[in-house]
Amino acid sequence: MKAFTYDRATSAAEAASAVAKTTGSKFIAGGTNLLDLMKLQIETPSHLIDINDLGLDQIEPATNGGLRIGALVRNTDLAANEYVRRDYAVLSRALLAGASGQLRNQATTAGNLLQRTRCPYFYDTNMPCNKREPGRGCSALGGYSRMHAIVGISDACIATHPSDMAVAMRLLDATVETVRSNGLTRTIPIVELHRLPGNTPNIEHTLEPGELITAVLLPKPSGGTHIYRKVRDRASYAFALVSVAAIIQPDGSGKVALGGVAHKPWRVESAERKLQRGSKAVTKELLANARTTHDNAFKVQLVERTLASVLNDAKG
């Protein structure tokens, strides 16, 4: 790990301003992703600004009838919250499917959303990776790609977003609240937060330099049956091959989002209008224009079968 300086922020506006002004600086909270990457010298910030003292760790009812989740709420606390378990069960289940108990105790809401979209080649500094070094190429395109994305990909990157929580947040139409480096605040619909790789896979979100997430706002509960199903190579501490987050209403209508298939949580609202026609019709539209490799072509069928299982469970 390379040497760095460290400071603690006393306000969100101060933290945002400091990161924007100081070249090579980053926020740190739980550090479950950043510190790992620093040890490998994939991330090499020259200055860290600790935001743990900002008081952004509350979960409280919002004026819109929904729920306001502070950026520093730990994943364990969010999954166990009585309002989340009762009204947003898909979020609780997605959180409990992620990482390990030790990591969930430390990982934060905002940090989970902003963890790096990555693959094994991203970690291997001996291999070209456009996310580490733009313009070097993507080793996964000609390498082993079983875990990689099949939709929304580009010739620059086929990595998948690793977050389970983000898939549930996308399903719930969450909104992200931020403070900019000039002290002004704004809200960002979660659909606009994460970017597809395009020609710049190293740019993974739409936040401005120094912009700090302060909270995530959930809309008013919608009811229905909440299901999060994660298919992976082992029962815990593994990224999804495919995951399905769904809220299904008694009449068969509902919402569906996928993990493990794209550079960001994947949802196609037009596909949801076909839920009553079954999993094959929905999958066809969800994965329209899919580009598979020899190693990951099985994901198309796996999505259809996992979605079929989810819809059957929703019917009771």
Side-chain angles (χ1 to χ4, degrees), residues 7-112:
D7 197 8
R8 285 182 176 268
T10 58
S11 74
E14 173 196 323
S17 176
V19 166
K21 291 178 181 178
T22 307
T23 302
S25 62
K26 286 185 175 292
F27 303 117
I28 187 167
T32 57
N33 186 211
L34 178 60
L35 289 178
D36 280 348
L37 297 179
M38 289 174 65
K39 291 173 185 177
L40 295 171
Q41 295 190 19
I42 294 171
E43 293 276 8
T44 56
S46 58
H47 185 63
L48 293 182
I49 296 178
D50 192 323
I51 58 173
N52 281 295
D53 292 341
L54 301 187
L56 304 175
D57 58 355
Q58 301 299 309
I59 304 172
E60 52 197 359
T63 56
N64 69 344
L67 203 64
R68 190 175 186 275
I69 303 163
L72 298 179
V73 172
R74 264 47 185 185
N75 287 178
T76 295
D77 296 330
L78 184 57
N81 180 267
E82 61 176 317
Y83 297 110
V84 174
R85 293 177 64 189
R86 184 189 68 196
D87 298 329
Y88 308 96
V90 67
L91 175 57
S92 181
R93 291 167 181 164
L95 284 161
L96 293 173
S100 66
Q102 295 92 331
L103 286 172
R104 292 194 295 269
N105 288 342
Q106 188 69 10
T108 64
T109 299
N112 191 311

Side-chain angles (χ1 to χ4, degrees), residues 28-219:
I28 187 167
T32 57
N33 186 211
L34 178 60
L35 289 178
D36 280 348
L37 297 179
M38 289 174 65
K39 291 173 185 177
L40 295 171
Q41 295 190 19
I42 294 171
E43 293 276 8
T44 56
S46 58
H47 185 63
L48 293 182
I49 296 178
D50 192 323
I51 58 173
N52 281 295
D53 292 341
L54 301 187
L56 304 175
D57 58 355
Q58 301 299 309
I59 304 172
E60 52 197 359
T63 56
N64 69 344
L67 203 64
R68 190 175 186 275
I69 303 163
L72 298 179
V73 172
R74 264 47 185 185
N75 287 178
T76 295
D77 296 330
L78 184 57
N81 180 267
E82 61 176 317
Y83 297 110
V84 174
R85 293 177 64 189
R86 184 189 68 196
D87 298 329
Y88 308 96
V90 67
L91 175 57
S92 181
R93 291 167 181 164
L95 284 161
L96 293 173
S100 66
Q102 295 92 331
L103 286 172
R104 292 194 295 269
N105 288 342
Q106 188 69 10
T108 64
T109 299
N112 191 311
L113 287 176
L114 297 181
Q115 61 182 299
R116 296 297 305 270
T117 301
R118 56 200 188 272
C119 81
Y121 294 104
F122 174 74
Y123 284 110
D124 187 348
T125 55
N126 294 312
M127 302 295 290
C129 173
N130 287 317
K131 297 181 77 65
R132 288 196 323 269
E133 300 176 83
R136 283 289 309 280
C138 175
S139 297
L141 284 172
Y144 185 60
S145 53
R146 180 171 178 270
M147 295 292 297
H148 290 71
I150 59 175
V151 284
I153 65 176
S154 73
D155 290 334
C157 182
I158 58 172
T160 57
H161 197 280
S163 172
D164 294 286
M165 186 195 78
V167 178
M169 291 290 196
R170 175 69 183 92
L171 182 78
L172 292 167
D173 294 307
T175 301
V176 175
E177 299 179 352
T178 72
V179 61
R180 292 162 154 171
S181 59
N182 59 6
L184 298 177
T185 61
R186 69 164 170 159
T187 58
I188 306 170
I190 197 162
V191 63
E192 299 175 8
L193 178 66
H194 299 106
R195 292 165 47 108
L196 291 177
N199 294 321
T200 55
N202 56 304
I203 304 174
E204 297 173 351
H205 53 72
T206 57
L207 297 178
E208 299 172 355
E211 190 169 8
L212 175 67
I213 293 177
T214 54
V216 176
L217 184 66
L218 299 182

Side-chain angles (χ1 to χ4, degrees), residues 232-249:
R232 46 187 163 174
D233 285 329
R234 57 178 184 263
S236 66
Y237 201 56
F239 291 157
L241 288 168
V242 162
S243 64
V244 175
I247 299 176
I248 307 300
Q249 301 299 335

